[in-house]
């Protein structure tokens, strides 16, 4: 089954996922902040030109990871960004190195960013268009095999 790309019309919002409760508990988000974040991610994707979307799809994971961090920085105040970095337990320099490709993006960060934006990990890993994920990526650092 091919995942459906994000198609948001007026008044619609990205799908809530099964891991949202765990995500909100760990990050301190409330449902409105999470909804706003996903809404802004969708709008940022829709504002990209065809050429920009194609470049993100055909490029590696680093440009997509960079773009996702830019969306977060554009949306959050500096204190929220600092809180996010402390939750990730990565300093800003680590993220910069990951964005440049000097340091590998951990599978945990791929799952966490995908769960945060409510999309499938295929966007960050493979360059597929962002598609809503009703289950959500497991955000445990070391997930148990076969767990949701």
């Amino acid at each position: 089954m091919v995942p459906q790309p994000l198609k948001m019309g007026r008044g619609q919002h990205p799908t809530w996922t099964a891991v949202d409760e765990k995500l909100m508990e760990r990050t301190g988000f409330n449902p409105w902040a999470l909804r706003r974040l996903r809404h802004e991610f969708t709008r940022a994707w829709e504002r990209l030109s065809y050429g920009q979307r194609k470049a993100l799809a055909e490029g590696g994971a680093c440009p997509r990871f960079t773009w996702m961090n830019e969306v977060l920085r554009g949306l959050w105040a500096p204190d929220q960004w600092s809180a996010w970095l402390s939750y990730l337990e990565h300093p800003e320099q680590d993220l910069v190195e990951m964005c440049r490709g000097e340091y590998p993006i951990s599978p945990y960060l791929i799952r966490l960013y995908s769960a945060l934006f409510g999309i499938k990990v295929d966007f960050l890993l493979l360059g597929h268009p962002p598609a809503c994920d009703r289950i959500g990526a497991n955000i445990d650092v070391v997930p148990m095999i076969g767990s949701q």
Side-chain angles (χ1 to χ4, degrees):
M1 173 181 253
V2 177
Q4 295 298 313
L6 291 174
K7 292 181 183 175
M8 298 293 160
R10 212 164 167 209
Q12 293 178 325
H13 62 85
T15 306
W16 294 106
T17 68
V19 297
D20 284 350
E21 290 294 325
K22 189 186 297 186
L23 183 66
M24 288 186 287
E25 176 186 314
R26 292 184 185 178
T27 61
F29 282 122
N30 60 39
W32 299 277
L34 197 56
R35 180 177 177 178
R36 179 173 178 252
L37 177 71
R38 291 175 179 173
H39 177 79
E40 289 301 321
F41 174 79
T42 303
R43 296 295 166 246
W45 178 256
E46 291 171 350
R47 283 191 298 267
L48 293 176
S49 68
Y50 172 76
Q52 291 169 320
R53 289 184 195 180
K54 184 177 178 187
L56 283 175
E58 292 177 351
C62 295
R64 291 186 291 276
F65 189 65
T66 301
W67 180 74
M68 292 172 98
N69 280 315
E70 288 171 0
V71 169
L72 289 176
R73 281 193 196 137
L75 181 61
W76 287 342
D79 59 327
Q80 289 175 305
W81 178 250
S82 296
W84 176 247
L85 291 176
S86 67
Y87 171 72
L88 294 179
E89 297 179 352
H90 282 284
E92 178 106 25
Q93 186 60 31
D94 282 359
L95 291 183
V96 170
E97 289 173 0
M98 287 180 209
C99 290
R100 287 193 301 230
E102 299 170 2
Y103 187 80
I105 304 169
S106 74
Y108 172 67
L109 286 182
I110 291 171
R111 292 191 315 269
L112 185 64
Y113 272 72
S114 298
L116 182 66
F117 289 115
I119 59 173
K120 294 184 180 286
V121 296
D122 295 349
F123 172 68
L124 196 47
L125 283 176
L126 306 171
H128 293 188
C132 291
D133 188 1
R134 296 191 190 284
I135 297 172
N138 191 326
I139 61 170
D140 291 329
V141 176
V142 182
M144 293 174 43
I145 295 175
S147 67
Q148 292 289 330

